[in-house]
Amino acid sequence: MAPKQIVPALGLDSFSCPHCGAIAQQSWFKLCLSAYPHGKKPDIERYDQAAHIRIKNTAANSAEDAARRKRLADYLDRLEKNFATYRTLEYSTSGSAEMVNLVVSLCYSCGGFGIWIGDELIYPDSEIALVPHEEMPQAVLRDFTEAASIVAKSPRAAAALLRLCVQRLVVELGEKGDNLNADIGSLVQKDMISPAVQKALDVVRVVGNNAVHPGEISFDDDGGIATKLFGLVNVIVEAAIATPKHIQKMYESVVPPDTQKAIENRDTKRP
């Protein structure tokens, strides 16, 4: 079964961390600006394993030095795991200005930062929160993964790809794949899917159609509508593929062959 996921969204108390994947509490921070001293320019700090080891193994000269070394070691621990992190300053005042519409979330589980502009998570890539079902067929998986990689930048394109996912799914269930609407109706007539799965298929179909041919659904009005489709695709895989597969495996391993034959004869008898 696909793991439970909460897609990252601005201001949520917890969501699936795009760093570690855990559903974890998130702390939110505003950012303040402080000008570089005259002549000082921005630079990139890279993790230095040798310096990290040296700091940890060198004895401190005093309690103050020990505290300073611990702060530096903690900083290097964070930098080793996450390119974007923070440094504790010994002497500082509030920044001279506060950023607007640029905030930071901090994962309680792994200490990884998320950087947000407006309501968009720009670092790191949030695709990890959109994990495909483990039983998803390979023919579907590539489009699902591609949709996950672009949903933040183009919800419409992601929705269109997810519609393609369900079109490939109905082929896996024995339909032609030429007309998704007709194929869903055929699966219903054959009693191969439940009413709930039918509705999930039609949601992805209708939203995907509107993504390509704009209709009444506005992606601008509901920025999360495309991300919710990923969960529906996983629900469809679980109900239409994974659950029947699990039941069939149990049936074949528990019910003796002669009893299976008797059941088959029972179900094929004509009145």
Side-chain angles (χ1 to χ4, degrees):
M1 181 179 294
K4 180 181 178 182
Q5 300 159 15
I6 301 177
V7 176
L10 184 69
L12 285 185
D13 291 332
S14 61
F15 51 68
S16 299
C17 174
H19 284 288
C20 66
I23 296 179
Q25 179 180 341
Q26 303 290 325
S27 298
W28 293 91
F29 298 89
K30 58 185 178 181
L31 300 180
C32 294
L33 296 178
S34 181
Y36 281 99
H38 181 68
K40 180 72 174 178
K41 302 297 182 183
D43 197 5
I44 295 176
E45 294 196 32
R46 305 287 185 182
Y47 175 68
D48 186 333
Q49 185 180 34
H52 195 174
I53 294 172
R54 186 169 61 253
I55 288 293
K56 285 189 172 184
N57 293 339
T58 303
N61 297 322
S62 64
E64 182 179 354
D65 186 40
R68 183 184 64 80
R69 287 178 180 275
K70 185 178 186 308
R71 284 194 297 271
L72 181 55
D74 289 345
Y75 164 68
L76 290 171
D77 284 338
R78 295 191 299 272
L79 185 60
E80 178 183 13
K81 297 173 184 175
N82 299 293
F83 182 73
T85 186
Y86 68 94
R87 183 202 300 274
T88 301
L89 302 176
E90 294 183 58
Y91 310 104
S92 66
T93 59
S94 297
S96 58
E98 179 183 328
M99 294 295 295
V100 175
N101 295 329
L102 196 160
V103 298
V104 166
S105 57
L106 174 65
C107 175
Y108 179 81
S109 177
C110 70
F113 274 112
I115 301 176
W116 300 73
I117 294 181
D119 61 356
E120 181 181 353
L121 179 62
I122 63 168
Y123 172 86
D125 192 327
S126 61
E127 150 180 17
I128 190 170
L130 305 170
V131 181
H133 195 290
E134 59 187 7
E135 295 290 345
M136 185 173 289
Q138 286 297 317
V140 180
L141 183 60
R142 189 173 79 170
D143 293 323
F144 185 99
T145 303
E146 183 179 350
S149 70
I150 65 172
V151 65
K153 296 180 177 64
S154 179
R156 287 184 181 276
L161 280 169
L162 291 175
R163 184 198 179 283
L164 182 57
C165 284
V166 298
Q167 191 159 358
R168 296 189 192 281
L169 275 171
V170 299
V171 173
E172 293 288 326
L173 297 175
E175 298 302 321
K176 296 179 180 179
D178 297 330
N179 185 317
L180 182 54
N181 185 43
D183 287 340
I184 294 172
S186 175
L187 290 172
V188 171
Q189 292 298 317
K190 296 174 184 176
D191 290 326
M192 291 185 63
I193 57 175
S194 69
V197 172
Q198 169 260 307
K199 289 178 182 177
L201 284 165
D202 278 322
V203 167
V204 181
R205 176 182 67 84
V206 171
V207 175
N209 284 345
N210 276 267
V212 180
H213 306 289
E216 296 180 358
I217 298 175
S218 172
F219 286 81
D220 295 333
D221 292 342
D222 185 358
I225 193 169
T227 58
K228 292 172 185 175
L229 297 183
F230 290 90
L232 278 186
V233 173
N234 278 333
V235 166
I236 295 164
V237 173
E238 172 66 25
I241 293 179
T243 296
K245 180 179 178 181
H246 174 71
I247 293 172
Q248 182 65 26
K249 185 177 180 180
M250 284 288 294
Y251 180 80
E252 293 175 355
S253 64
V254 173
V255 180
D258 55 342
T259 305
Q260 292 183 35
K261 186 65 176 176
I263 293 172
E264 181 180 342
N265 291 336
R266 176 200 70 190
D267 294 342
T268 55
K269 285 182 179 179
R270 304 271 185 220

